[in-house]
Amino acid sequence: MATSALLSHITVPATAAKHTATIIFVHGLGDTGAGWKFVAEDLGRHEKLRHVKWILPNAPKMRVTANSGMEMSSWFDIFAFDGSKGDDVQGMQKTVSSLSQLISNEVDSGIPSERIVLGGFSQGAAMTLLTGLTTEWKLGGLVALSGRLPMQKELDSDPTLIKNTHFAQTPLFWGHGTADPLVPFSRAETSVEFLRTKIGVKDTNGDSLVGLKFHAYAGMQHTACDVELEHLREWLSKAIPEESS
């Protein structure tokens, strides 16, 4: 069976002589991979992340129902911003397939899946969590910034959708602002509770990265702040550390 073309994307190469880990970071609604290029470049210059290549995929353009049908870059349709009309299951599953293909391409190029981190902001965070649950890849970590877990109703009613037996043991960094007006903090809390009660995800303990590391940023709205990015840098340097020669 023929495979579809890879998502268009921006690549920020590793700055070290040897590339040994990859971060795939997924942007939010109306953005492109270029919107996160400066973050990738800034984090990539840090001495403990110089071995990391960044892949910043671009979402296709589509009409977004909740935004008066306006066409914009989006990973799935949004029926209502408050989630009251359910999720675009078909669109989300299509994006999961596309992101899984990016992971597969990296594995084929010689990077073990355990050395790949998938992450994203807002819509990208939602797709990161859903991909992490419904694909079989054992990843090095997942990053969710200002996001929520979609398709909770479907995942709860049909456990066969959850194909990743490694999810509960996968390091998960979650950052969210308490004043987020677009993805309210309460939606993050509901998502985390689902992962704890339905998937068996535990909070990290001690120096172990296994499980959920949740950061609440007081007063932060729908954005990423410097403190959050510093916390993320520290976490990434432990999740996919430079390999000893």
Side-chain angles (χ1 to χ4, degrees):
M1 182 174 65
T3 57
S4 57
L6 282 178
L7 286 167
S8 71
H9 59 275
I10 293 173
T11 299
V12 177
T15 56
K18 188 177 181 182
H19 156 224
T20 63
T22 297
I23 296 171
I24 301 171
F25 195 86
V26 188
H27 66 74
L29 178 68
D31 202 359
T32 66
W36 286 86
K37 186 171 183 280
F38 77 99
V39 173
E41 291 174 337
D42 186 55
L43 293 179
R45 282 191 289 267
H46 193 273
E47 61 180 352
K48 292 186 177 180
L49 292 174
R50 294 178 63 247
H51 59 288
V52 176
K53 178 178 83 173
W54 292 71
I55 296 175
L56 309 172
N58 298 306
K61 288 193 173 182
M62 66 177 67
R63 295 188 182 278
V64 176
T65 302
N67 207 21
S68 302
M70 185 181 298
E71 187 176 86
M72 60 180 60
S73 57
S74 185
W75 295 109
F76 50 86
D77 193 8
I78 302 172
F79 304 137
F81 283 118
D82 64 2
S84 60
K85 296 183 179 179
D87 286 318
D88 174 17
V89 173
Q90 184 176 0
M92 289 178 171
Q93 290 177 329
K94 182 178 180 180
T95 294
V96 165
S97 178
S98 295
L99 294 177
S100 297
Q101 193 174 354
L102 279 178
I103 296 169
S104 179
N105 194 62
E106 280 301 289
V107 172
D108 290 345
S109 72
I111 302 299
S113 65
E114 294 92 340
R115 299 282 295 168
I116 298 172
V117 168
L118 178 64
F121 174 81
S122 193
Q123 259 200 348
M127 294 316 310
T128 290
L129 294 165
L130 188 61
T131 301
L133 278 170
T134 61
T135 67
E136 298 178 0
W137 292 111
K138 182 180 181 181
L139 297 172
L142 298 164
V143 174
L145 306 183
S146 302
R148 50 114 184 166
L149 175 64
M151 287 177 52
Q152 290 182 42
K153 179 180 178 181
E154 291 80 7
L155 292 168
D156 191 27
S157 62
D158 185 4
T160 63
L161 291 172
I162 303 171
K163 298 182 175 65
N164 195 333
T165 59
H166 310 287
F167 190 92
Q169 287 74 48
T170 300
L172 170 56
F173 179 101
W174 194 314
H176 211 105
T178 60
D180 191 330
L182 296 181
V183 183
F185 190 75
S186 59
R187 294 192 78 183
E189 292 181 310
T190 299
S191 298
V192 167
E193 185 62 19
F194 183 95
L195 292 178
R196 286 171 175 155
T197 59
K198 303 294 185 179
I199 310 300
V201 172
K202 306 293 185 184
D203 294 328
T204 55
N205 184 24
D207 294 331
S208 174
L209 286 186
V210 172
L212 171 67
K213 184 67 173 179
F214 187 87
H215 293 269
Y217 298 96
M220 188 176 79
Q221 298 191 18
H222 197 63
T223 187
C225 66
D226 290 342
V227 174
E228 180 180 37
L229 293 177
E230 178 61 20
H231 288 159
L232 176 60
R233 180 198 62 73
E234 294 172 356
W235 182 89
L236 288 170
S237 68
K238 297 174 182 177
I240 42 174
E242 187 171 11
E243 294 181 322
S244 57
S245 55

